[in-house]
Amino acid sequence: MTSTPTKQWVLLLRGINVGGRKIVPMIELRALLKELGLANVRTYIQSGNGVFESDLDAAALTENIETAMEAKFGFRPKAMVIAADDFMAAIENCPYPMGNEDSKTLHFFFLSAKSQSPDLEAITELAKESEAFTLTDKAFYLQAPEGIGRSKLASNAEKKLGVATTARNLRTIMKIADMVAGNKARRSAPIA
């Protein structure tokens, strides 16, 4: 009898399915993750968001996923694997309002590691008057009411933070949170 993995993870892939390049169909991504032995795999939209369960640690999961994707798709996207508890904590600790009107203007940049020497002066200079930002150990929050596409701060955040990041808007964050909650509910449901 095999045991059920006990830790839930969030997967955020960087730079796939953008502009017709680095194409990864989600049905193939789900199948690949299952082939790696990950349980309760679910994905959301084409930008490479997933939730799964595994007893491996983040470093092993990242390496396994990136290596398998390179073998299958011919390129190695950056995979950010975040403990579901840390992902949910980033939502709970968000310093900005999270109403429907903020779904496209509030962005969470998840950090690959704690930013040891962020250039906060440059970040402040890049921010428009309408923009607000907050940096924590695991996330950089950006409220960009005029849109992220027009934000010099958004396009330079990673460089100024000094660590790899991947960003998602509030709408996507909340959909992933729903998947995390759904997996947790399925796991704790009594077996009939």
Side-chain angles (χ1 to χ4, degrees):
M1 183 169 135
T2 61
S3 65
T4 303
T6 56
K7 187 153 184 176
Q8 192 167 194
W9 299 92
V10 172
L11 170 65
L12 304 175
L13 293 174
R14 250 179 89 155
I16 67 163
N17 299 335
V18 177
R21 297 187 334 219
K22 298 184 179 179
I23 301 300
V24 178
M26 291 303 99
I27 193 166
E28 292 182 33
L29 176 61
R30 284 190 300 274
L32 180 68
L33 295 175
K34 289 175 186 175
E35 287 171 17
L36 291 173
L38 308 179
N40 292 321
V41 174
R42 298 174 71 197
T43 59
Y44 173 68
I45 66 174
Q46 296 300 311
S47 59
N49 307 296
V51 174
F52 60 85
E53 295 174 3
S54 174
D55 286 330
L56 296 177
D57 66 18
L61 288 165
T62 300
E63 178 61 29
N64 292 351
I65 291 167
E66 289 179 353
T67 299
M69 290 189 72
E70 184 174 30
K72 179 161 182 76
F73 300 110
F75 61 91
R76 188 180 184 99
K78 176 68 183 143
M80 194 157 308
V81 178
I82 305 163
D85 290 343
D86 290 340
F87 184 87
M88 298 304 279
I91 296 169
E92 291 168 19
N93 296 321
C94 179
Y96 302 105
M98 294 195 302
N100 285 336
E101 65 276 4
D102 303 302
S103 66
K104 290 186 178 181
T105 63
L106 177 56
H107 291 78
F108 292 59
F109 289 69
F110 288 92
L111 311 179
S112 61
K114 180 180 177 181
S115 179
Q116 297 298 322
S117 55
D119 188 346
L120 295 176
E121 185 176 319
I123 291 171
T124 302
E125 288 175 11
L126 286 169
K128 292 181 179 182
E129 274 189 43
S130 63
E131 295 178 334
F133 65 87
T134 300
L135 175 62
T136 67
D137 288 351
K138 297 187 180 202
F140 176 75
Y141 302 90
L142 174 60
Q143 179 72 51
E146 297 174 41
I148 198 167
R150 294 188 174 111
S151 173
K152 288 182 182 178
L153 176 51
S155 62
N156 288 285
E158 183 174 81
K159 185 167 90 173
K160 300 304 178 189
L161 292 169
V163 295
T165 68
T166 190
R168 299 296 188 273
N169 68 28
L170 178 61
R171 178 181 295 162
T172 299
I173 293 292
M174 297 314 289
K175 292 290 187 180
I176 296 169
D178 288 345
M179 290 191 315
V180 167
N183 273 2
K184 194 175 284 190
R186 270 196 299 282
R187 196 168 17 143
S188 62
I191 298 173

